[in-house]
Amino acid sequence: MYDPTVARLTYRALLGRRRALILGALPLLLIVISVVVRALTGADDQTASNVLGGFALATMVPIVGVIAGTGAIGPEIDDGSVVYLLSKPLKRPTIIFTKLIVAIAVTMVFSAVPTLVAGLILNGNGQQIAVAYTVAALVASIAYSALFLLLGTVSRHAVVFGLVYALVWEALFGSLVPGARTLSIQQWSLAVAHRVAEGDLVTSDVGLTTATVLLVAVTVLATWYAGQKLRSLTLAGEE
């Protein structure tokens, strides 16, 4: 289910100079903000939770997920180079699964690692806040990567749709419409973080069991359907 050649090509595409600069911009900004906030306010648990929840998890993780998930396959479909890949004797689910693993790895490195560093800077992991949000970032990275990889497979406007989901649905509607939070990867990951954190600074509108089921379901279904769409794309090209 994992092909090293496909993985190498995908890593090369995602970590090219231009895309790597984009991927690194938000993590760098998070670290800078954390240093400034710590210098101005000192070690404060509530402030650390606000920064990690409001910027790291709500903004940085989904945007990095959009870039990595859609970038793992979208450009190849857009420029037609995917035909070369599909001409190889590889099962289509293997291609999708390999690209998903790469997208998850890249998203985790550029989101979970900076989240941990920022949390340690902000309050030294008081009340396990840094670790809790890092776990949330890790969990969210998996679901975001699967969802946005699917978008990259089915649409030429995957980046736009991904940003609409991340910034409009989760950030805007999620803050205004309570029911919308149930369909939010951010809230699902916060449910996992709540279990890790000490105290009530990290909260979620979704229970842990529900969140776990939904995270697994979205990841599995998105990956399966992406494989199906890639198979139909092959048939269309052959016809």
Side-chain angles (χ1 to χ4, degrees), residues 17-32:
R17 180 176 300 179
R18 181 181 301 177
R19 198 175 295 273
L21 289 175
I22 298 174
L23 284 169
L26 285 175
L28 179 60
L29 180 58
L30 173 63
I31 300 301
V32 171

Side-chain angles (χ1 to χ4, degrees), residues 62 66 70 147-148 150-152 154-170:
V66 169
T70 62
L147 178 61
F148 297 140
L150 171 61
L151 288 178
V154 302
S155 173
R156 292 181 178 271
H157 306 289
V159 173
V160 175
F161 291 138
L163 291 176
V164 167
Y165 171 79
L167 301 181
V168 177
W169 177 264
E170 290 201 339

Side-chain angles (χ1 to χ4, degrees), residues 98-185:
T98 301
K99 287 183 174 293
L100 175 62
I101 294 300
V102 173
I104 290 173
V106 170
T107 305
M108 286 182 172
V109 169
F110 283 92
S111 61
V113 174
T115 298
L116 177 60
V117 173
L120 294 176
I121 292 173
L122 286 165
N123 76 332
N125 196 37
Q127 296 194 53
Q128 294 292 310
I129 289 175
V131 171
Y133 278 105
T134 299
V135 171
L138 290 170
V139 170
S141 294
I142 299 173
Y144 280 131
S145 295
L147 178 61
F148 297 140
L149 179 64
L150 171 61
L151 288 178
T153 306
V154 302
S155 173
R156 292 181 178 271
H157 306 289
V159 173
V160 175
F161 291 138
L163 291 176
V164 167
Y165 171 79
L167 301 181
V168 177
W169 177 264
E170 290 201 339
L172 181 59
F173 283 93
S175 62
L176 299 177
V177 184
R181 299 171 188 168
T182 305
L183 300 177
S184 167
I185 292 175

